[in-house]
Amino acid sequence: MSDDGTNSDPRRAGDAIDPVTLEILRNQLESVATEMGHVLIRGAYSPNIKERQDCSTALFDASGRMVAQAEHIPVHLGAMPDAVETVLEKDPKPGDVFVLNDPFAGGTHLPDVTLVSTIAPEGEVIGFAVSRAHHADVGGSAPGSMPAGAREIFEEGLRLPAVRLVDGGEPNEAVRELIRANVRTPDEREADLRAQRAANARAEERVGELLEEHGSTLLDAFDAVIDYSRERVEAELAALPDGTYRARDVLEGDGVTDEDVPIEAAVTVDDASIAVDFDGTADQVTGNLNAPLSVAKSAVYFVVRAITDPEIPPNHGCYEPVSVSAPEGSLLDPNPPAAVVGGNVETSQRVTDVTLAALASAVPDAAPAGGQGTMNNLIIGDRAGEFTYYETIGGGFGARPGKDGMDGVQVGMTNTLNTPAEAMETEYPLRVERYALRPGSGGDGRQRGGLGLERTVAVETDVTVSLLTERRRTAPAGLAGGADGAMGKNLVDGEPVPAKASVDVAAGSTVSILTPGGGGHGDPEERDPEARERDRRDGKVEEE
């Protein structure tokens, strides 16, 4: 920009960007989103963010389209556009930072708190910095804000529509005090929110530097990178066989009853587009497995990313050829005040499974067997509000046509790390007694499914334990003749506990989570003998 504020860059808006410049700008924008994540993780106080990295960051343009993202949490990122759309309705101004978590107005579930900040390095809003982080407690009827038996969203914690946490650069103390008054660990919450604000502020700083360096070409690049990704995704979809592909699966109860909850998907590939219709899926349920449509869209976007070229830059262009629909008032488009906290973590996993299963015949070389299909949510906290521990625990990844499944990893809609035992024992009155792979839990096949994990934690004080888990009575499915993976188990002092439960546990008790394995792929008789011997030698199969 010139000293008088006019555009002196020779490449004015509307001019084509040459491929080299476009690639440079794309990488610079993605680097900004990634740096946001680093600032958030390093600045956070809670182990759930600083250790497990249960957070996501992205950049959006002024019209609310995602331009670049860090490689973080799929269920966060695919739903972010709805959060920005909600903020756009509030007439955002330079210096504004909005906070929201309302699942019916741009959020996913209440523990996922989103900050949307305007990017206006020269006094005009040219985009938004967005960070979403899972906060370990936001109030509600149980520590950790994920009560298994919730029937209404009011039981799940503080619900925030999009409100200004910072108004034109001035902190809104009333909102800050409101949040602190409604959570069990207010200092930790405030510290994590400060880390999110710092991440968003870093984005504005870096985008300002890019604007100074590239002039209006930077704004042209917003359009160009989105167009580039859309064209590449469309080319990938056009190569798939046209047709409608269907699949059905179930959730194992909703936390209130044990009745199966069906999810049905009809996936239609038509030239360069893909449409996923969830007609036939259950009506919204009494328990907390309802999922806002934004969560269902996140799962479908993830599947499309999984079956297309992973080198395609992830941004709004990847979403444009994809449409998602579900009946209003259904499990995947519920009406308030439906409880939804489990929908984000468990229902999203089943939507992923169903959509992948439907596409298996269309993309046989890309579709894996069933993965663990759950996040194995474990929440431990005390009623006095002294601490809240939250973890999603990895399990088996489904075998692929040419590779064994991966052992003990996060699968599907989450992409977090584990909490190291040292950090866990330092931060909480908990002790890790066992953390190991489950031998024999991966489904047999030409390619073996990945192994699940066992994590046993001893509690050193009286606590409330909440569990939101799946695949405890329906196994992860094998594919092309492969065997199913092992089902998971939940135990307290060695006794079985339901897949979804909130229970009070006395000091000295142990809580064990045995996570599901992944399904196998192909005829087990065709497995390479050397691979079988290696499995035996590495202790990945149970000795007969």
Side-chain angles (χ1 to χ4, degrees):
M1 305 290 277
S2 64
D3 291 339
D4 63 3
T6 60
N7 188 341
S8 60
D9 194 296
R11 295 163 297 197
R12 292 182 299 275
D15 292 347
I17 301 177
D18 67 87
V20 173
T21 301
L22 178 60
E23 184 67 6
I24 290 171
L25 283 164
R26 179 184 71 79
N27 279 279
Q28 288 178 319
L29 290 168
E30 290 181 5
S31 293
V32 173
T34 300
E35 186 176 352
M36 287 176 66
H38 293 328
V39 171
L40 173 51
I41 291 163
R42 292 172 181 169
Y45 186 84
S46 66
N48 191 53
I49 300 173
K50 71 181 180 181
E51 299 286 358
R52 296 189 59 246
Q53 301 182 14
D54 194 349
C55 58
S56 300
T57 51
L59 293 176
F60 287 72
D61 70 7
S63 62
R65 300 179 303 168
M66 182 186 287
V67 175
Q69 67 173 58
E71 294 293 347
H72 286 153
I73 314 298
V75 76
H76 287 176
L77 294 161
M80 273 187 183
D82 287 351
V84 180
E85 183 178 344
T86 297
V87 167
L88 284 170
E89 297 172 358
K90 304 292 184 179
D91 192 24
K93 300 292 195 303
D96 285 350
V97 179
F98 288 82
V99 59
L100 66 94
N101 71 349
D102 186 352
F104 300 105
T108 49
H109 66 175
L110 297 182
D112 283 345
V113 179
T114 304
L115 260 57
V116 180
S117 304
T118 55
I119 296 177
E122 296 182 348
E124 179 182 353
V125 176
I126 63 170
F128 298 92
V130 184
S131 59
R132 175 167 282 169
H134 185 114
H135 286 246
D137 186 275
V138 290
S141 64
S145 311
M146 299 181 73
R151 295 168 179 256
E152 294 181 318
I153 195 169
F154 308 117
E155 300 174 64
E156 297 177 338
L158 174 65
R159 181 177 168 195
L160 293 165
V163 293
R164 286 176 170 86
L165 184 64
V166 179
D167 189 349
E170 293 297 322
N172 187 336
E173 290 299 322
V175 172
R176 171 181 165 275
E177 291 173 7
L178 175 69
I179 293 171
R180 288 186 59 90
N182 282 277
V183 300
R184 290 181 176 83
T185 47
D187 291 343
E188 186 176 271
R189 299 288 65 74
E190 187 168 3
D192 287 346
L193 284 171
R194 283 200 303 267
Q196 288 185 253
R197 284 181 56 188
N200 290 14
R202 180 64 60 87
E204 183 171 43
E205 177 186 345
R206 292 291 185 250
V207 170
E209 293 170 356
L210 293 178
L211 188 63
E212 183 176 346
E213 178 182 356
H214 297 287
S216 63
T217 303
L218 176 67
L219 305 185
D220 295 342
F222 290 175
D223 292 323
V225 296
I226 290 171
D227 291 343
Y228 174 71
S229 292
R230 185 193 66 251
E231 290 166 3
R232 288 192 60 183
V233 169
E234 287 176 340
E236 294 270 322
L237 295 176
L240 300 179
D242 286 355
T244 297
Y245 307 91
R246 301 178 185 275
R248 181 183 187 277
D249 205 336
V250 298
L251 293 164
E252 302 166 340
D254 66 354
V256 174
T257 77
D258 289 333
E259 294 178 8
D260 285 345
V261 182
I263 297 177
E264 296 187 11
V267 183
T268 300
V269 180
D270 183 10
D271 191 24
S273 68
I274 188 167
V276 182
D277 185 359
F278 291 102
D279 190 27
T281 293
D283 292 340
Q284 67 184 70
V285 294
T286 303
N288 68 17
L289 290 192
N290 302 292
L293 188 59
S294 59
V295 170
K297 290 192 290 187
S298 289
V300 172
Y301 296 154
F302 169 78
V303 171
V304 173
R305 290 282 299 162
I307 66 169
T308 55
D309 187 348
E311 297 301 318
I312 298 173
N315 58 48
H316 187 82
C318 298
Y319 307 156
E320 289 185 350
V322 184
S323 62
V324 181
S325 61
E328 183 180 353
S330 71
L331 180 77
L332 301 181
D333 189 12
N335 295 314
V340 299
V341 73
N344 183 63
V345 289
E346 294 302 292
T347 306
S348 66
Q349 295 283 69
R350 195 63 70 253
V351 172
T352 300
D353 290 348
V354 170
T355 308
L356 271 174
L359 285 167
S361 60
V363 287
D365 294 334
Q372 69 162 343
T374 176
M375 294 191 194
N376 301 294
N377 300 270
L378 172 62
I379 308 98
I380 304 175
D382 68 329
R383 292 284 180 183
E386 294 295 325
F387 81 98
T388 304
Y389 154 80
Y390 171 66
E391 182 107 51
T392 61
I393 304 175
F397 192 94
R400 294 149 289 176
K403 291 184 178 180
D404 288 345
M406 293 178 284
D407 304 324
V409 296
Q410 300 285 359
V411 174
M413 295 305 289
T414 186
N415 189 29
T416 55
L417 304 180
N418 67 186
T419 305
E422 298 84 354
M424 187 171 166
E425 293 177 349
T426 299
E427 296 277 356
Y428 307 114
L430 305 173
R431 187 176 69 256
V432 179
E433 293 199 341
R434 181 173 174 80
Y435 192 29
L437 294 172
R438 290 180 66 193
S441 55
D444 200 1
R446 184 173 61 252
Q447 307 296 337
R448 178 185 53 76
L451 302 184
L453 292 170
E454 177 183 347
R455 188 161 184 135
T456 296
V457 178
V459 301
E460 298 177 343
T461 186
D462 294 349
V463 297
T464 297
V465 175
S466 292
L467 297 162
L468 287 175
T469 63
E470 277 283 320
R471 296 298 190 205
R472 268 50 183 176
R473 66 173 187 248
T474 58
L479 189 62
D484 294 345
M487 292 180 285
K489 299 178 182 179
N490 303 333
L491 308 170
V492 173
D493 290 331
E495 295 298 319
V497 176
K500 300 165 187 70
S502 290
V503 295
D504 292 329
V505 174
S509 298
T510 59
V511 180
S512 298
I513 308 297
L514 283 68
T515 70
H521 193 290
D523 186 349
E525 296 297 323
E526 298 177 5
R527 185 155 178 80
D528 178 60
E530 291 186 8
R532 285 209 180 279
E533 173 58 24
R534 185 169 60 251
D535 288 344
R536 187 199 63 76
R537 189 171 60 248
D538 292 343
K540 292 188 175 182
V541 294
E542 292 182 319
E543 298 290 349
E544 297 182 358

